[in-house]
């Protein structure tokens, strides 16, 4: 009888623990030029057409969607991440195909995408599970550039939602201007977007007592560049945690030269980053980042041998105009939110 009661007691503890707290996975992924195969006369997408320089065919398009589904499944370990930030998405029809017509359809994702005036038609997006977050508000912010009134880039996506314990999340997804014009010349553009993003975050800090803010994106700048350290002011998680500071989840790993989400000329670095409000790192908060840890997902099928520089590198879809059959030139990043119900 005592053994039966003990088993029942232990069962109640386990069930209560699983009810009292659950984890949801948050992911970000630059998916490298996810275009459809149709011409958009308003954007410069000609290279990614069947008769374009990249010879972007229906086969290659659907293969990429299938591969991306496999990546998302793998990051979630069979259970879909609750929120997935993405960049380099052409339009909502691509997301429809990904979430409704590829193997990912089994997870029944909803999606939100920006409508940027980017020259190539690139956008950022959020995939989300409706039973994990209820969307309350959607905004997008249009970057402007000092001295360049005609320059366009990707809009910043801002989604406000409520998770299962009633806490509010503010999720920002951004893809800062590229370095294609050279680092020195393009740095002011990324600073301008960082200023806009910081302004929107400061407005939340002013209007809410302890906001739960998640900023994720491909910032095209590294951890110690001006836009990240001086403008967004993401501190290290090893610093003192204050609820109204921002913290860069990878900054404490800045000296680990073999880690990163992107590899350039043999050197790994973090172009893809999470920056969060201190509230999400506070032990007493009902919604917090589990273990204050974030990760790069570097499964073997996402990598190939780096013949020139040694080691491994992301297995990308294209190198220039050469089709490699890979998935992306970036690796996904993720962390888990622990939510007390």
């Amino acid at each position: 009888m005592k053994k039966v009661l003990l088993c029942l007691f232990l069962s109640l503890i386990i069930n209560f623990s699983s009810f009292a707290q659950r984890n949801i996975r948050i992911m970000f992924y630059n998916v490298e030029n996810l275009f459809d195969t149709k011409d958009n006369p308003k954007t410069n997408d000609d290279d990614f057409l069947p008769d374009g320089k990249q010879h972007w065919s229906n086969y290659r398009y659907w293969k990429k969607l299938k591969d991306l589904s496999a990546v998302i499944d793998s990051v979630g370990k069979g259970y879909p991440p609750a929120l997935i930030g993405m960049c380099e998405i052409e339009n909502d029809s691509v997301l429809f195909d990904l979430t409704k017509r590829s193997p990912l359809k089994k997870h029944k994702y909803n999606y939100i995408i920006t409508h940027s005036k980017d020259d190539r038609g690139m956008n950022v997006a959020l995939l989300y599970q409706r039973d994990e977050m209820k969307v309350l508000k959607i905004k997008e912010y249009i970057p402007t550039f000092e001295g360049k009134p005609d320059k366009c880039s990707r809009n910043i996506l801002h989604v406000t939602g409520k998770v299962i314990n009633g806490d509010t999340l503010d999720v920002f997804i951004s893809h800062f201007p590229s370095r294609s014009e050279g680092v020195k010349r393009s740095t002011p553009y990324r600073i301008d977007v960082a200023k806009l993003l910081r302004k929107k975050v400061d407005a939340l800090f002013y209007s809410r007592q302890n906001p739960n803010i998640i900023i994720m994106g491909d910032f095209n700048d590294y951890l110690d560049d001006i836009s990240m350290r001086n403008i967004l002011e993401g501190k290290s998680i090893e610093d003192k945690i204050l609820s109204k500071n921002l913290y860069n989840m990878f900054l404490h790993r800045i000296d680990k030269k073999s880690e990163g989400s992107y590899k350039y000329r043999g050197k790994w670095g973090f172009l893809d980053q999470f920056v969060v409000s201190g509230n999400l790192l506070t032990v007493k908060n009902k919604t917090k980042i589990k273990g204050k840890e974030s990760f790069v997902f570097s499964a073997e099928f996402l990598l190939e041998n780096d013949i020139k520089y040694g080691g491994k590198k992301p297995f990308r879809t294209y190198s220039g105009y050469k089709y490699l059959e890979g998935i992306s030139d970036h690796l996904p990043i993720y962390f888990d939110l622990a939510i007390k119900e």
Side-chain angles (χ1 to χ4, degrees):
M1 184 66 180
K2 288 182 178 179
K3 288 183 178 180
V4 173
L5 290 173
L6 180 60
C7 289
L8 286 171
F9 179 69
L10 290 173
S11 177
L12 284 170
I13 290 175
I14 292 168
N15 288 332
F16 177 77
S17 297
S18 63
F19 173 77
Q21 180 173 301
R22 64 187 295 182
N23 299 327
I24 64 172
R25 186 149 290 180
I26 312 297
M27 170 183 171
F28 177 80
Y29 198 15
N30 178 329
V31 297
E32 189 197 339
N33 293 322
L34 186 53
F35 286 90
D36 61 22
T37 59
K38 301 172 184 176
D39 181 35
N40 182 344
K42 295 181 180 180
T43 64
N44 183 20
D45 65 349
D46 293 353
D47 286 351
F48 281 87
L49 297 173
D51 59 352
K53 293 178 180 179
Q54 309 283 17
H55 301 290
W56 187 236
S57 64
N58 281 327
Y59 168 78
R60 293 178 178 183
Y61 172 66
W62 286 102
K63 179 186 182 302
K64 179 141 181 163
L65 294 184
K66 183 180 178 181
D67 290 343
L68 290 174
S69 300
V71 176
I72 291 168
D73 255 345
S74 298
V75 172
K77 295 184 177 178
Y79 188 81
L83 304 177
I84 304 173
M86 304 178 93
C87 72
E88 297 205 10
I89 306 285
E90 185 180 16
N91 53 44
D92 53 359
S93 69
V94 170
L95 289 182
F96 180 86
D97 287 342
L98 177 62
T99 59
K100 312 300 181 188
R101 301 178 69 191
S102 81
L104 197 64
K105 67 183 179 182
K106 65 184 177 183
H107 293 315
K108 299 181 180 179
Y109 278 104
N110 280 11
Y111 58 84
I112 302 163
I113 186 169
T114 56
H115 299 86
S116 306
K117 293 182 179 180
D118 176 69
D119 293 338
R120 298 174 63 237
M122 292 284 91
N123 286 283
V124 302
L126 178 71
L127 274 56
Y128 67 97
Q129 292 285 329
R130 285 183 299 176
D131 58 343
E132 301 289 6
M133 187 181 79
K134 179 182 179 182
V135 172
L136 303 176
K137 191 180 295 183
I138 303 167
K139 295 180 180 179
E140 54 182 296
Y141 308 120
I142 303 172
T144 56
F145 302 95
E146 188 174 349
K148 294 278 186 178
D150 298 326
K151 182 175 176 59
C152 297
S153 187
R154 282 77 61 166
N155 294 353
I156 298 170
L157 178 61
H158 177 193
V159 179
T160 305
K162 190 160 288 196
V163 293
I164 52 174
N165 65 1
D167 277 356
T168 299
L169 280 185
D170 281 281
V171 181
F172 293 86
I173 304 170
S174 190
H175 186 191
F176 281 15
S178 77
R179 297 181 163 216
S180 59
E181 296 181 36
V183 175
K184 186 175 181 179
R185 186 173 180 182
S186 61
T187 290
Y189 306 148
R190 290 186 291 280
I191 289 174
D192 284 341
V193 180
K195 286 178 178 177
L196 172 61
L197 182 51
R198 182 73 217 201
K199 179 181 178 181
K200 300 303 179 182
V201 167
D202 284 341
L204 287 177
F205 280 139
Y206 178 79
S207 63
R208 297 188 193 163
Q209 188 172 1
N210 291 304
N212 299 307
I213 298 169
I214 299 171
I215 302 168
M216 51 179 151
D218 173 359
F219 297 97
N220 273 309
D221 265 337
Y222 293 101
L223 299 168
D224 56 351
D225 282 322
I226 294 172
S227 65
M228 305 307 295
R229 289 293 293 269
N230 300 87
I231 307 301
L232 277 185
E233 294 183 276
K235 302 180 184 302
S236 169
I237 60 172
E238 294 179 343
D239 294 342
K240 183 178 180 180
I241 303 299
L242 300 174
S243 62
K244 296 209 172 183
N245 281 344
L246 290 178
Y247 294 85
N248 191 312
M249 294 299 297
F250 291 111
L251 184 58
H252 65 294
R253 289 151 70 174
I254 192 169
D255 293 326
K256 296 186 178 181
K257 304 302 181 184
S258 62
E259 294 187 6
S261 63
Y262 184 78
K263 193 177 186 183
Y264 180 68
R265 294 182 178 176
K267 295 182 179 179
W268 285 100
F270 289 97
L271 290 183
D272 308 281
Q273 300 166 47
F274 293 119
V275 180
V276 303
S277 58
N279 209 42
L280 289 171
L281 300 170
T282 304
V283 174
K284 294 181 180 180
N285 198 33
K286 290 193 302 177
T287 302
K288 59 189 176 186
I289 296 175
K290 184 180 178 182
K292 297 182 182 179
E293 292 183 303
S294 56
F295 307 91
V296 177
F297 186 72
S298 55
E300 194 65 28
F301 75 99
L302 294 178
L303 301 167
E304 65 173 342
N305 291 327
D306 189 342
I307 304 300
K308 186 173 183 179
Y309 295 104
K312 299 283 187 176
K313 64 180 180 179
F315 186 22
R316 58 194 301 164
T317 307
Y318 279 92
S319 177
Y321 295 127
K322 183 181 180 181
Y323 180 59
L324 302 180
E325 301 187 40
I327 304 171
S328 176
D329 54 346
H330 290 245
L331 296 176
I333 57 174
Y334 69 95
F335 65 80
D336 289 329
L337 271 186
I339 299 176
K340 288 185 179 179
E341 298 186 58

